[in-house]
Amino acid sequence: FAVNDSFAIKNALEDTGFEVIHITNSSQQSFLSGLEDFRKLIYQYGSSTTALFYYSGHAAQIDGTNYLYPIDAKIESKGDIEVETINMGRVFSILDSTLTGVKIVILDACRDNPYSVFTKTTSKGLATSKSSSGTIIGYSTGPGETAIDGGKGELSFYTASLIQEMSKTGLDIEDVFKYTSRSVAKETYNRQTPWYSSSLLVDFYFTEKK
């Protein structure tokens, strides 16, 4: 579902006025290049702009840190994890160091940790992320939980529901995430309940009332 989800989110964001850097089936090199392009685009728009990072794919919590996995990641020892994957700290450093506007992070990526043999913990799902004021983070399921396989049509349960709520006029982003959680929980018979954390100081609407 990951590639389909990314295209659907791209289209939904462009419909609401975002300029999108879109990468699929990303190697580590293209992932890092995309993050640098993201940094440059934020600088171009200015520190008060709204910036959003969306990821769909494989990810894991390892010793309390979240890592995103490029398609070419090769993990044979614990030392490979930091070298072969993308530490979410890289993403937050881009957002936290340059932005005073609204910062949005969406992670449709909660899976079992396949490398627990190398780590101190065997926690499922993703850890909660620390971020600066003015940030909202949406997770496809709760802390320490895993997202179930399957979806609605060609999209995952989470992204399909998220896009549906994003399209509603006059819905604040915190309500978007809340209603998405409600929808996914219902669709999955409470086997998956999305979660979000927010330190927003202002309201934000994907589609404002005219």
Side-chain angles (χ1 to χ4, degrees):
F1 294 99
V3 172
N4 290 340
D5 287 344
S6 75
F7 275 102
I9 283 287
K10 170 184 178 294
N11 293 336
L13 290 175
E14 288 178 339
D15 287 344
T16 60
F18 280 85
E19 181 175 348
V20 178
I21 298 169
H22 183 228
I23 302 173
T24 61
N25 295 317
S26 179
S27 66
Q28 186 185 51
Q29 181 177 356
S30 63
F31 206 134
L32 293 174
S33 295
L35 289 178
E36 182 59 26
D37 290 340
F38 185 40
R39 185 194 303 274
K40 291 177 180 177
L41 193 61
I42 291 173
Y43 179 79
Q44 175 184 325
Y45 275 98
S47 62
S48 62
T49 192
T50 295
L52 184 151
F53 175 85
Y54 170 89
Y55 176 81
S56 179
H58 188 82
Q61 170 196 167
I62 299 172
D63 293 345
T65 300
N66 294 325
Y67 295 88
L68 312 181
Y69 290 79
I71 61 170
D72 56 352
K74 297 178 180 178
I75 311 296
E76 297 179 353
S77 69
K78 184 177 179 181
D80 293 331
I81 295 168
E82 191 70 51
V83 175
E84 294 283 331
T85 66
I86 305 297
N87 188 320
M88 268 301 296
R90 286 181 178 269
V91 178
F92 286 113
S93 70
I94 292 172
L95 297 175
D96 294 348
S97 64
T98 60
L99 274 179
T100 58
V102 174
K103 293 163 279 193
I104 306 165
V105 175
I106 302 171
L107 299 175
D108 192 354
C110 296
R111 302 292 184 266
D112 287 324
N113 174 7
Y115 309 114
S116 58
V117 66
F118 305 134
T119 69
K120 298 176 183 176
T121 64
T122 56
S123 299
K124 294 181 177 181
L126 297 183
T128 55
S129 298
K130 295 181 180 179
S131 57
S132 63
S133 177
T135 303
I136 187 166
I137 309 170
Y139 301 88
S140 59
T141 193
E145 300 296 329
T146 55
I148 65 174
D149 291 328
K152 295 195 290 186
E154 297 182 345
L155 303 179
S156 69
F157 287 112
Y158 180 68
T159 294
S161 296
L162 178 63
I163 290 172
Q164 182 178 354
E165 299 303 328
M166 286 169 55
S167 67
K168 294 180 179 179
T169 301
L171 199 62
D172 179 76
I173 189 170
E174 294 190 348
D175 285 333
V176 167
F177 282 122
K178 179 174 65 177
Y179 296 153
T180 296
S181 297
R182 184 183 302 172
S183 175
V184 173
K186 181 179 179 180
E187 292 278 351
T188 63
Y189 300 95
N190 294 317
R191 291 181 295 163
Q192 178 180 338
T193 303
W195 185 85
Y196 74 93
S197 63
S198 175
S199 61
L200 292 183
L201 304 177
V202 297
D203 295 330
F204 175 81
Y205 303 88
F206 287 102
T207 306
E208 294 191 64
K209 291 182 179 180
K210 296 182 179 179

